[in-house]
Amino acid sequence: MEHLLEQTLNGLQLGFVYALIAVGYTMVYGIIKLINFAHGDVFMVGAFLAYFGFTSWGLPWPVAVLVSMAGCAVLGVGIERLAYRPLRARGAPRIAALITAIGVSLFIEYFTSLNFVFGSDYRNVPRVLPDRRWELGGITVTNVQLLVLVTVLVLVASLQFVVYRTRVGKAMRAVAQDTDAARLMGIDVDRIIACTFALGSALAAAAGALFAVAYPQIHPFMGIMPGLKAFTAAVLGGIGSIPGALLGALVMGQVEVLTAAYVTTDFRDAIAFALLILVLLLRPTGLLGKTAPEKV
Amino acid sequence: MRKQAFAPAAAAAVLYLGLAWLRQAGFIGIYWGQIMDLALITTIQAVGLSLIYGFAGQFSLGHAAFYGLGAYVAAFVTRAFGGNTLTFALALAAGAATAGLVALLIGLPILRLRSDYLGIATLGFGIIVKVLLDNADKLSPVLGGARGMAGIPRLTTFHWVFWLAVLSVWLARNLVRSSHGRSCIAVREDEVAADIMGLDTTQFKTLAFVVGCAMAGLAGGLYAHLYSFLHPSSFDFLKSFDVLLVVVLGGLGSLTGTVVTAIGWVFLLEALRGVLGQQFLDWRGVVYALVLIVLMILRPQGLMGGREISLDGVLGRAAARGGAGRGAA
C-alpha cells in the first residue's frame, strides 16, 4: 500500500512535468492548429540554459530558471517568426507547417549537439537542493517532489490568470475561437500568436529545468520522448483545452510510472500509447474534448 | 499489350538495361550501387505512403512500423528456411502480407479517426511496434531484440529492387486511375461529401492503407536482405518522418513527384556526406533540417504540387495533369 502511494507520488511528479509541456502544445494547437514538434526541443534548451546558468554562470537556481524561461520565450517567438509565420502569410497547407515543425525540431537537436554549442555528451546535473526526505504516514516524500509540485501549481495558476483575467489572454481565446472574426475586431493576430509561443515556451523551459532536477541527466535529444508524451497527453485530454492537457498529463504520468513499477519497464511506452489509441477510439476528441458538429 | 502501356514498359526496360550495363561494366561501383538500391527501396516505401496520404488523404505517421514488420518477418523466413531465390521471394511476400494484414487489423478501427488524431494514433502504433521489436528476442532469440538481428543472407540485388520498384509504381498508378482510386481521391477531397454521395469511405480508406502498408513491408524485406543486419532503431518514428517528408516534398497526389523526390533525397544525403567530408556526422542533421525548412517555406505545395511527369510530356507533347494539387489536411 505504501509502495503504491509512493509510486503514485512519482507518477504525479512526472505527470506535473508533462503538464507544463502539454499546455504549450495545446495552446499553440488551439490557436494555429499546428503540432509544434519543436516544443519538446524548447524544453531541452530550457534544461540546458538552467544548467549552464547554475553551473557556468554561477546564478542561484531560481534565477537560472527565470533566465532560462526568458531565453526560451525568445527562442519560441524566433521559431514562430522565422519558420511558421512565412508559411502562414502564404496560406500554405497545414501539412507544410507540420513538416517545417519537424525540420525545426531536427535543426535544434542537431545544432545543439555540435561541439561548440551544447555538445552531444550526456551531462550530469549537480544537486540543486540538499537531499531531504520526510516520512509522512509511512510514505517518503522528497523535497524535489515538493519543489516540482509547488512550482507547477504556481505556474499553472499564473497561466490561468493570464488566459482568463488579462487582455492578452482574452485576445488569445478570441483568436483561438475564430481567427478571422478576431482580426476584424482589431486584434493583431500575429502578435497574439507570438505571445502564445512566448508563454508556452517559457513554461516548457520551466518544465525542462524541473526535469533536470528530478531526473538529473541532460543531452540534446532528451526532449523527444517527453515532448511526444506531453503532446499525446494533450490529445488524450482533448487538444486545445488547458484543463484537458493537465488531466491528460496526470493520466499519462500515472500510467507510465505504475506500468514501470508493477508490470514491466520494457513495455512502459507501449502501454502508454496503447492507452492513447484506446481512448481515442472511445472518445475521438479526447477526454475533455468537444465534439464539433460535422460541417457540410 | 495495349498501346499506352507499351511506352512506359519499354522505357523501364531501356533504363534497366542501361543501369545494369553501367553496373556490370563498373561505371557504377559497389558503393553507389548500394545507394541506388537504397533509393529504389525508399521509392517503394514512399509510393506506399503516397497512396495512403497523397491520394486517400489519411495522415499516417506510423509508416516505418510496417517497414520494420516487413523487414523482420522477411528476415525471419530466410533465416528459418535458408537463403535461395525461392525462399527470398516467399520471404518478401510474407513480409508484405504481414504488413498488409496488420494494417487491415489496425486500420479498421483507427481509420475512423480524422487528420491529426489519426496521425497521433498511427505515431503511437509506430512506437508500440518499436517497443515490441526492442523486446522481440523474448519471442525468438533469432530476432535479436535490442541488440539487433544479424546473419540475414544478402539476397537483395539490383534486379530485384528495380523490378519490384517498377511493379510498385505500376500497381499504384493503375490503382490511382481505377474507379477505386478515384473514390480514394474523393475521400481525400471531402470525406463528408464522398460519404453522402454513397461511397463506402471506410472501404476506400482501408484499401489505400492496406496496399500502402504492404508496399512498406515489401520495401522492408528488401532492406533486410540488402544490409543483412536489422536494428529496431532503424524503424523508429523518425524513420516514418523521413518517408512523410519525401511524400510531401514530392507533392501530395503526385506519384512521379514521390518517385523523383525519394531518389533525389537519398542521393542528396549521400552528396552531403561527400561535401561535408569528416564533419559530415556532426553537420549532416543540421544541413538536412535546413534544406527541409527552406524547401518547405519556398514550395509549401511540394516540388511537383500534384502534377505528374509523363513520357508524353517529356517528349514535348502537352504535360498530363494528375490529381488536384491541394492535398488533404
Side-chain angles (χ1 to χ4, degrees):
Chain A
M1 188 61 203
E2 279 81 19
H3 187 239
L4 177 67
L5 278 177
E6 267 171 27
Q7 292 303 334
T8 312
L9 203 61
N10 286 336
L12 210 59
Q13 170 183 316
L14 186 62
F16 266 55
V17 175
Y18 285 160
L20 273 191
I21 317 174
V23 288
Y25 269 119
T26 219
M27 279 165 42
V28 166
Y29 191 93
I31 287 196
I32 53 175
K33 298 282 173 286
L34 167 70
I35 305 176
N36 178 18
F37 270 103
H39 197 62
D41 303 299
V42 173
F43 159 84
M44 175 275 290
V45 173
F48 266 92
L49 287 184
Y51 165 83
F52 282 124
F54 185 66
T55 56
S56 309
W57 309 328
L59 301 171
W61 178 251
V63 181
V65 175
L66 287 178
V67 167
S68 156
M69 288 171 75
C72 284
V74 173
L75 176 68
V77 174
I79 293 172
E80 201 281 318
R81 186 78 189 77
L82 294 175
Y84 305 151
R85 196 183 293 181
L87 283 169
R88 230 179 18 255
R90 290 158 160 255
R94 226 147 58 72
I95 181 70
L98 182 78
I99 299 281
T100 310
I102 295 170
V104 173
S105 161
L106 293 173
F107 177 78
I108 298 178
E109 283 157 19
Y110 285 101
F111 184 73
T112 53
S113 301
L114 294 174
N115 282 330
F116 64 88
V117 193
F118 297 162
S120 55
D121 296 335
Y122 283 73
R123 288 165 189 267
N124 291 314
V125 180
R127 212 182 275 283
V128 171
L129 298 172
D131 189 22
R132 289 257 170 73
R133 44 189 70 230
W134 298 279
E135 296 283 327
L136 284 180
I139 63 164
T140 315
V141 182
T142 67
N143 52 357
V144 169
Q145 283 168 335
L146 285 182
L147 173 78
V148 172
L149 301 188
V150 171
T151 316
V152 174
L153 283 177
V154 169
L155 287 173
V156 169
S158 333
L159 179 74
Q160 283 296 100
F161 178 80
V162 170
V163 171
Y164 289 99
R165 292 278 181 276
T166 62
R167 279 174 66 86
V168 174
K170 202 174 196 178
M172 278 177 189
R173 283 179 291 134
V175 175
Q177 202 167 52
D178 190 333
T179 314
D180 292 325
R183 188 176 285 121
L184 288 175
M185 297 307 287
I187 293 174
D188 183 348
V189 171
D190 279 339
R191 198 178 68 89
I192 294 303
I193 292 174
C195 287
T196 311
F197 271 87
L199 213 56
S201 303
L203 293 180
L210 288 176
F211 197 82
V213 175
Y215 314 92
Q217 202 175 42
I218 59 176
H219 61 103
F221 291 88
M222 68 182 269
I224 300 179
M225 254 309 165
L228 213 55
K229 292 219 179 98
F231 179 71
T232 303
V235 175
L236 190 64
I239 191 129
S241 140
I242 293 180
L246 301 180
L247 178 67
L250 292 182
V251 172
M252 200 78 184
Q254 287 302 342
V255 169
E256 202 179 320
V257 168
L258 292 183
T259 322
Y262 292 99
V263 189
T264 153
T265 41
D266 294 338
F267 292 99
R268 191 178 54 184
D269 293 348
I271 290 179
F273 284 101
L275 173 86
L276 166 85
I277 296 178
L278 271 180
V279 171
L280 283 183
L281 290 179
L282 299 175
R283 285 193 59 93
T285 49
L287 294 173
L288 299 185
K290 290 189 226 56
T291 355
E294 202 73 67
K295 285 180 197 156
V296 183
Chain B
M1 193 180 284
R2 278 172 304 146
K3 204 178 161 198
Q4 64 263 51
F6 180 72
V14 169
L15 191 62
Y16 167 72
L17 290 173
L19 288 173
W21 179 75
L22 283 174
R23 289 175 75 137
Q24 190 72 42
F27 289 108
I28 298 174
I30 294 172
Y31 174 72
W32 285 105
Q34 204 167 46
I35 306 299
M36 189 192 289
D37 294 341
L38 183 64
L40 288 168
I41 290 172
T42 309
T43 305
I44 300 177
Q45 212 189 342
V47 164
L49 187 63
S50 186
L51 286 177
I52 300 171
Y53 187 42
F55 287 96
Q58 301 307 304
F59 184 31
S60 171
L61 284 173
H63 211 56
F66 298 97
Y67 186 50
L69 281 174
Y72 271 85
V73 168
F76 188 73
V77 170
T78 51
R79 283 285 307 253
F81 298 108
N84 58 52
T85 310
L86 179 68
T87 51
F88 183 43
L90 278 176
L92 292 178
T98 309
L101 188 66
V102 173
L104 180 68
L105 294 178
I106 181 98
L108 280 176
I110 71 171
L111 283 169
R112 286 188 301 150
L113 299 169
R114 299 272 163 93
S115 71
D116 291 344
Y117 293 99
L118 178 62
I120 290 306
T122 47
L123 181 73
F125 174 72
I127 290 171
I128 293 172
V129 169
K130 163 79 165 50
V131 171
L132 293 179
L133 293 181
D134 274 333
N135 295 286
D137 49 342
K138 287 168 192 150
L139 196 67
S140 155
V142 177
L143 294 171
R147 280 169 291 117
M149 179 178 186
I152 306 159
R154 247 176 229 273
L155 294 167
T156 299
T157 60
F158 171 66
H159 318 287
W160 280 98
V161 271
F162 184 87
W163 287 112
L164 286 174
V166 169
L167 180 72
S168 306
V169 174
W170 179 73
L171 266 178
R173 171 194 166 277
N174 281 2
L175 177 63
V176 166
R177 293 192 181 180
S178 69
S179 75
H180 284 72
R182 288 198 301 275
S183 304
C184 287
I185 294 172
V187 171
R188 172 189 81 186
E189 292 299 322
D190 192 332
E191 193 170 334
V192 179
D195 191 30
I196 290 169
M197 292 304 288
L199 288 182
D200 182 352
T201 54
T202 314
Q203 184 194 330
F204 295 111
K205 287 194 281 188
T206 315
L207 173 75
F209 194 65
V210 170
V211 174
C213 290
M215 283 184 184
L218 174 68
L222 288 168
Y223 173 86
H225 295 84
L226 179 65
Y227 291 107
S228 82
F229 177 74
L230 291 177
H231 194 270
S233 67
S234 307
F235 306 106
D236 64 6
F237 68 93
L238 285 172
K239 283 292 179 303
S240 299
F241 288 161
D242 266 355
V243 199
L244 182 71
L245 302 179
V246 165
V247 171
V248 176
L249 278 178
L252 291 176
S254 169
L255 274 181
T256 40
T258 305
V259 173
V260 170
T261 317
I263 295 172
W265 195 244
V266 171
F267 277 92
L268 172 79
L269 288 182
E270 282 312 307
L272 281 179
R273 193 192 291 276
V275 172
L276 297 169
Q278 274 301 313
Q279 301 229 289
F280 172 73
L281 285 174
D282 293 341
W283 280 91
R284 181 180 120 129
V286 177
V287 178
Y288 173 100
L290 276 180
V291 169
L292 189 68
I293 297 170
V294 170
L295 272 178
M296 229 51 265
I297 290 180
L298 294 181
R299 276 195 78 78
Q301 73 277 44
L303 297 172
M304 301 281 294
R307 282 187 299 278
E308 301 283 2
I309 309 171
S310 72
L311 268 181
D312 287 352
V314 173
L315 295 175
R317 277 169 262 170
R321 287 184 73 90
R326 293 166 302 281

